[in-house]
Amino acid sequence: MPRSPGNRAVRSAKSLTQKVARLERAKPKPAKPKRAKPKRAKPQHAARKSAPLTNLPIELYYWPTPNGWKISIMLEECGLPYVVHPVDISKGEQFSPQFLAIAPNNRIPAILDPNGPGGRPISVFESGAILQYLGRKAGQFYPRDERARVAVDEWLFWQMAGLGPMAGQANHFRLYAQEKIAYAIDRYTNEVNRLFGVMNTRLATHEFLAGRYSIADMACVGWVRLAERMGQELAQFPHLKRWFETIRARPAVKRAFAIRVEAASAVDMKDPKVRAILFGQTAR
Ligand SMILES: N[C@@H](CCC(=O)N[C@@H](CS)C(=O)NCC(=O)O)C(=O)O
């Protein structure tokens, strides 16, 4: 469970970069290695189930969307302590210099781990990179065995490059575009349909996308949760439906989906100010 869920907005008093620097200073610098017999190279941030985890929580910069859910699900699944910092993307908080310092693409999610590699803080943006980082850190849901890891990466990248972008556009043209453009609606609704079919076929012979439950499933589940608004009927995809219901029933997933951000339920997507912030973006 997040330590202090709630409505705290992105910190404004101290920038995140200052915060990272402060945390850096507070940590004892790792002792310089003495010249001794050469040791076998070890990954700096070896993933072991028993790796000591800090008691300083991971900071999750979050908004309740399919990309945000990926990370709250993973943190809940791993039992890693975390705090939620809502980033109100309808108000433009994703453009604050503090947030951009850790997430230069002005998109949630992002994390700040006070106890990163070498015991020093690290920030990570892009949900796929965050899932892989947390998987390595916790040694869970991201197998170390190369064949198993390749399978997870395949489905994770498939989500990041395919399902996520296509579903995002389907959502946009079906729900948010003021002008209803039939070509765009059909194009993206059909693509989501095709991609759901790809998952359904895979899940006919595999319990989960990469065999065992993994970060690849966590990346996809939030999009399947929104099937209806993307014009999809889960009854058409029985294996996908079975998979979705299995994952949705997991206690960690239930906890992640239950995180409330009051401000998010009050967002009016018809408000011209909100629309200008979300849909009028160009290079800055
Ligand atoms: N590829 C990014 C996509 C993240 C993304 O699109 N986040 C959306 C919410 S689901 C966002 O922050 N939107 C803010 C905006 O459009 O300005 C990731 O997977 O982390």
Side-chain angles (χ1 to χ4, degrees):
M1 288 284 272
R3 264 237 227 122
S4 45
N7 300 324
R8 272 199 291 153
V10 178
R11 288 157 195 271
S12 51
K14 282 215 165 62
S15 79
L16 287 169
T17 15
Q18 283 171 320
K19 186 169 177 199
V20 173
R22 188 162 44 80
L23 285 163
E24 284 269 16
R25 282 197 299 275
K27 292 265 174 188
K29 288 265 180 297
K32 280 226 171 94
K34 289 188 193 116
R35 280 197 174 271
K37 62 175 178 174
K39 280 192 186 144
R40 247 199 321 146
K42 215 176 169 189
Q44 202 187 11
H45 197 40
R48 279 191 296 114
K49 206 164 187 168
S50 57
L53 300 173
T54 177
N55 43 19
L56 271 181
I58 290 174
E59 309 205 5
L60 169 61
Y61 292 84
Y62 172 86
W63 199 241
T65 69
N67 286 312
W69 295 329
K70 294 174 187 174
I71 312 305
S72 50
I73 291 173
M74 179 61 172
L75 289 164
E76 288 289 345
E77 291 284 12
C78 295
L80 289 164
Y82 68 104
V83 284
V84 175
H85 296 294
V87 178
D88 191 337
I89 59 174
S90 73
K91 292 208 169 86
E93 288 180 356
Q94 67 273 40
F95 293 105
S96 76
Q98 294 82 11
F99 183 66
L100 289 176
I102 63 165
N105 191 38
N106 65 265
R107 297 281 190 271
I108 63 95
I111 61 163
L112 180 64
D113 180 2
N115 189 36
R120 300 198 308 282
I122 189 171
S123 61
V124 191
F125 75 100
E126 275 296 320
S127 58
I130 301 171
L131 287 172
Q132 290 177 320
Y133 171 76
L134 293 174
R136 288 191 300 268
K137 178 183 174 85
Q140 293 186 72
F141 308 111
Y142 191 35
R144 298 181 83 184
D145 168 75
E146 185 60 12
R147 282 180 194 280
R149 183 163 282 195
V150 165
V152 172
D153 286 343
E154 285 176 326
W155 286 97
L156 179 64
F157 279 68
W158 176 88
Q159 190 290 318
M160 295 298 300
L163 181 63
M166 294 302 125
Q169 296 304 326
N171 231 3
H172 180 82
F173 286 107
R174 294 177 63 86
L175 300 177
Y176 302 141
Q178 273 167 339
E179 190 191 343
K180 295 293 169 216
I181 307 165
Y183 182 86
I185 292 174
D186 289 350
R187 163 76 185 151
Y188 293 114
T189 304
N190 289 346
E191 260 299 279
V192 174
N193 190 265
R194 183 185 71 79
L195 292 161
F196 275 24
V198 171
M199 273 196 280
N200 191 57
T201 303
R202 172 73 175 178
L203 293 165
T205 53
H206 295 76
E207 192 180 0
F208 295 102
L209 289 169
R212 295 179 69 176
Y213 181 55
S214 75
I215 55 175
D217 301 292
M218 297 179 207
C220 294
V221 68
W223 298 100
V224 177
R225 189 184 191 205
L226 301 185
E228 218 172 286
R229 47 196 291 194
M230 295 180 305
Q232 309 304 323
E233 179 56 73
L234 275 193
Q236 189 195 336
F237 307 103
H239 307 294
L240 182 62
K241 188 165 185 280
R242 182 266 306 155
W243 167 92
F244 175 63
E245 278 161 8
T246 306
I247 296 179
R248 186 172 59 170
R250 292 177 67 89
V253 176
K254 283 189 182 164
R255 288 196 298 275
F257 283 154
I259 295 169
R260 289 273 154 256
V261 177
E262 288 310 323
S265 13
V267 173
D268 175 7
M269 294 300 285
K270 293 204 169 74
D271 180 340
K273 276 193 258 146
V274 172
R275 298 182 63 81
I277 288 167
L278 286 173
F279 309 139
Q281 298 177 12
T282 53
R284 293 183 165 220

